[in-house]
Each structure stands twice: as C-alpha cells, then as structure tokens.
Amino acid sequence: MWESIWESLPFLLQGMTINVLLLLGIIAVGITAGLGVATLQIYGHWTLSGVAIGYAWFFRGVPELVLLMLVYFGLNQFGIRISPFLAAVAALGLRSSAYQSQIFRGAIQAVHPGQSLAAQSIGMTKLQMIFRVILPQALRFSIAPWSNEFTSVFKDTTLAYAIGVIEILRRARYLVARDFALTIPALVAVAVIFFVFVSAGNRGLQVLESKLYIPGFESKQVSRRA
Amino acid sequence: MSKKGLLVALLSWVLLVGMTLVVGAAEKYTVAAEIAWAPFEWVSLSGDYVGFDMDVMRCIAILEGYDIEFFDIAFDTIISAIQLGNFDIAASGISITAERDKVVDFSEPYWRSEQAIVIRRDSGLNIVTALAGYGSTKKVASQRGSTGDKWVQENLVDKGVPIEIARFENDPEGVLAVVTKRADAHIQGETGAAQSVKAYPDLMIAGTVDTGEIGFGFVVSEGDPKGILPLLESGVKKLKASGAWENLATAYFGGAELETIEDAWSECIVMLLDDGDVDGFAECLAEKANQ
C-alpha cells in the first residue's frame, strides 16, 4: 500500500508543479493588485480610496470555492471562455490581493510618519515619496505577515481541482480511483509533499527578510514592534 | 446596425461557414466527465484517460467523424456545466433522472447498474438490518448527489426509517467510513462496489437495491442546439451492430484488474487513434484485458 504510493510519487509531484505554477500566478496577481489597492486606500483621492476599500471588502467576504465557481462558470454566461487554470489564477489571485492589500496597508502605516515628513521637506513629490521612501521600507516590514498569506494561498491551490485543474489533489484522487485502499496513504503523501514545499518557501522568506533587513534606529524599532 | 453593416456581417458569416465546409475541418466537441470512477472512467498511471465511457466516446467520434477533447471536472458540477454550455457532451456514468432531464438532454440509456450495499463482514448486518433501521439508528454513507444517495433519502429517510445519511464527495471516502466504523453501510453502483470489496477484504456486498433507475445516459445541452444527440445515438447503434460494444463491455466489466486493462489499453489504443480501426481496437482490448 505505502509502497505503491512511493512508486506513484513522481505522478503526484507532476501534479505539484501545477500547484506551484498556480501559486506563482496567484502571487503575481495578488502582489500587483494588492499593492495597488493598499496605495490607493491610503494615498488615493477619497473616491479611489472608497473603491479600494470596497474591493477588499468584497473579495475578503466571499468564500474561495464560490469565487472559483463564479469566475469559471459565470464568465461563460457572458461568452467569455477561459481555461480552468486561468480561472483559478484569477479567482484566487483577486481574493489574495484583497488580503495582501491589508498586509501592505498595515506595513505602509507602520513606516514612521517622520519619514514622509522628511521626504516632503526635501521636496519630493508624493509619488517619489511613495516609491523611494515609503514602499522600500514597507515591503520589508510586510515580509513576515506576507509569509502567512503565502502559506495559505499555496494550500488553497488545491481548491482548483473543483473546477477541473489537474493539480496534486486531483492526481491523488486518480490513485484512489484505481485502488480504494490508497485513500489514506494518498492523502498522507499530499500532506507530506505540501509540508516540505511550504516549509521550504517559508524558510526562503525568512532568509529574504534577514537579507533585506536595514540596520538602523527607526526601522529596527518598527520591525520589533511589528 | 446599418443595412450596409448587416450585409457585410452576413457576407462574412457565409464566407466563414463556406470556408469551414471547403476545408472540411472536423467539428470538435468537448466531453466532460469526472475521470475517477473506474471502470467507467479513470486515469491510468501513465496519465491516460481510460474506461468504458472514454473509449465509447472515442469510438463514436471516429465513426461519426468529429474530434473530441476530454475534461475532468467534479461530478456534481457536470450537469450545471453542460446546462451553462461550458462543455458539449458529458459521459460520466450519469443516471437518467427526471430532475436532470429538466435542464439537459439525455441519450437513450446505454448502461444499467443496480445500487449495491457495502457492509463490514464482522458487522453482523445484512441487507435488511443495514437499511431498515432495526435496533440502533444506522448510518448509511453515500456519494453526494448519486442515485443511491437519492434513493436512501426518498425511500427510507423521508418515509420515517431511522437512518442517518453520511454524504461524501466520492465513493472511496464513503467506503472508508464503513471500514473505519464511522458508518454502517455504503450505497454505490454495483461495478464500484465490486471494486470496493476487492480493495478491502473486510467488506462484503450485502445485496443490491433496485432503485428503478432508467440507466446511464450521455448528456448534451437542453434542446441539443449543436445536434450532437443523433451522432451519439447513431454511433452507439453502429458499435452494437459490429460487436465492438460487447467487446468494450467485456474488456471493462469482465472482472479484469485495472492494471491489466491499462496495459491492454496502451497496447491496443494505436489501432484506434492511428488507424481509426474501431472494431479491431475493441477486439484487441477485450482479448488482452481478459488474458
């Protein structure tokens, strides 16, 4: 039983590559939209900031599975046919961007107010201030809470099987369909594989955090507080 | 739209259709199934979609001259997906029911399967005590939305028999619930039940239930806007007339191990895909699978 799961490891790992690709897609959508939403929420005109708040409110309030089905089956109603993979990246990416926007918002607000005052006092425009002073620091602060979102998004990629993305959980199901006795071993194998991947990812983020750390009075104080 | 615009649109449409006819590009239909339900459909270790439904679909496509592409989606989304037009055909051991028939169209029934009750050998139960609620309340596991699930609900629970249904996403989980004593019985199709007791020797089939099921049908969108049903019906007829249908049934339901069927399939499939030899493929598969 366990032996045949061991033999099927390559079969499962092939599915895991899809989960990793999903993760990359979701993270790309999530960071881009999340940073945009956070910046708009804090620095945007009140209308834009309202839109950003509504966006985060909506995508944090809808269950992921519902969102997946809505994007995949719903778009078809309007004649838009997208592959299950793209639908999963879009649905889970938008959802994640709403969470990430709140992580980035917290990180931006954790940058000491003196920093923006200093930037303005040496004549920087608002955009210059955001991109040269605030974001470089805020992004560093956000790595730790962001690793939480990374972990959660990574595991959520298994939900994509509901709309027909052939990822690792789906492949585990294939093994079970051939041999019912593999139900538990296949799930354990998926759990172990995920554990290894998620741990490696988190370790990587920790290394990144310490590499990017800026020694200095203010940032140190804030990062300790965070 | 102006008259001129309308004319241009009409002309380009005629041109498009005309070109398709001239080039003779074969129509391509998408086929949805939950490909995790052996021996009707499952994924071999080499990653191929094998099973009775899959091969019947391939054979009909060749006989009727169109292309197909399979999509593996969750069973309980198949009917909605066909209804919404996400896919053209569904072939996934789908029972014909009045409820489903309201939103999609079915082919003639192509397979009939009784529902079997799977219990633990040491449970001391039988087909009557497992379902009749004799003694303590019995817990019956089922695959959500399946024929067996519906039958237990409508004929036992709704009529006051003290039974609790434990619904699972798929049959293997329900079977596991019986093995781990979290449920007293599991109801599933005969062919699947045979596989369950093979996988877990501690289990046995207590008996089968005649649910009055019409049988499995292939599914297309309501009203069959693409005219696929006649192709399916004609294909099934041809398969039955040539004996290929019988051979496919022997290959998949003859009691061979799935691995043996997979090996036979990899050997024979070139005859179908490269040479379009439907009869030869079915014969080869029946022979090699039951060697």
Side-chain angles (χ1 to χ4, degrees), chain A residues 1 4 7-8 11 14 65 69 71-77 80-84 160-166 170-171 173-185 187, chain B residues 30 33-38 42-47 49 71-74 77 80-81 84-88 169-173 175-176 188 192 195-196 199-200 226 258-259 262:
Chain A
M1 209 157 80
S4 77
E7 283 167 11
S8 311
F11 184 79
Q14 272 176 28
L65 209 49
M69 302 262 180
V71 170
Y72 184 57
F73 293 117
L75 281 183
N76 203 52
Q77 292 295 74
I80 306 168
R81 276 198 182 213
I82 57 173
S83 71
Y161 101 94
I163 55 168
V165 178
I166 314 300
R170 193 64 197 149
R171 281 184 174 247
R173 163 78 56 215
Y174 289 163
L175 294 178
V176 175
R178 293 177 79 254
D179 184 355
F180 285 8
L182 291 181
T183 309
I184 296 293
L187 288 176
Chain B
T30 50
E34 161 136 32
I35 312 180
W37 201 60
W42 81 95
V43 178
S44 73
L45 259 198
S46 47
Y49 293 166
F71 288 88
D72 174 35
I73 64 170
T77 62
S80 321
L84 294 172
N86 286 56
F87 305 101
D88 300 317
E169 178 89 9
N170 291 86
D171 283 323
E173 283 105 358
V175 172
L176 194 64
Q188 66 178 141
Q195 222 201 322
S196 307
Y200 299 104
K226 292 193 179 176
L258 296 182
E259 273 191 64
E262 285 177 12

Side-chain angles (χ1 to χ4, degrees), chain B residues 38-62:
Chain B
F40 281 90
E41 42 266 321
W42 81 95
V43 178
S44 73
L45 259 198
S46 47
D48 294 305
Y49 293 166
V50 293
F52 185 75
D53 283 336
M54 303 288 100
D55 280 345
V56 164
M57 280 294 124
R58 287 188 181 101
C59 290
I60 295 179
I62 285 171

Side-chain angles (χ1 to χ4, degrees), chain B residues 203-234:
Chain B
L203 299 182
M204 59 180 269
I205 295 176
T208 56
V209 176
D210 185 357
T211 57
E213 185 185 341
I214 305 167
F216 296 157
F218 301 122
V219 180
V220 298
S221 292
E222 179 77 354
D224 192 19
K226 292 193 179 176
I228 301 170
L229 267 189
L231 299 176
L232 295 177
E233 303 287 8
S234 139

